[in-house]
Amino acid sequence: MTTRALATLLKGVAVTVAALTTLTVPATSAAADETVCGHQVGGDILAKYHRIGGQGSPLGCPTSDELTTPNGKGKFNTFVGSAIYWPPPRDRGAPHLGCDP
């Protein structure tokens, strides 16, 4: 194989690798949603879930996708061991770990 043919081949491989990387590496953000145990968890609820210890914590796996509270003013996810609400029922601060609704 000539040097020119090898350079052309390597260029093609580099383009292919770059294209595959673009397709398979998702963009992330601080408030990105994740699918955990088959359920969507996102934003501040997800951050609180990770701080508590995620699947290895007493919360365990989510048992619901993110839901809207009955009054329409907040969000929550239920988990095997409890639930996380945003905003919390008592104040408008950090996500609240609470009982199942």
Side-chain angles (χ1 to χ4, degrees):
M1 181 176 284
T2 68
T3 303
R4 185 179 189 131
L6 181 59
T8 301
L9 176 66
L10 291 175
K11 181 178 178 184
V13 169
V15 169
T16 301
V17 168
L20 288 174
T21 301
T22 302
L23 293 174
T24 60
V25 178
T28 59
S29 72
D33 292 348
E34 282 185 25
T35 299
V36 181
C37 301
H39 293 283
Q40 178 268 328
V41 183
D44 290 331
I45 294 173
L46 178 63
K48 177 78 168 193
Y49 180 65
H50 284 310
R51 278 194 309 274
I52 291 169
Q55 294 177 44
S57 76
L59 286 175
C61 284
T63 57
S64 73
D65 290 335
E66 186 175 280
L67 301 167
T68 301
T69 57
N71 67 8
K73 295 181 180 182
K75 299 289 185 181
F76 70 98
N77 280 86
T78 59
F79 299 85
V80 170
S82 192
I84 299 176
Y85 297 85
W86 178 256
R90 291 182 204 91
D91 61 51
R92 302 288 178 202
H96 174 71
L97 178 62
C99 298
D100 287 328

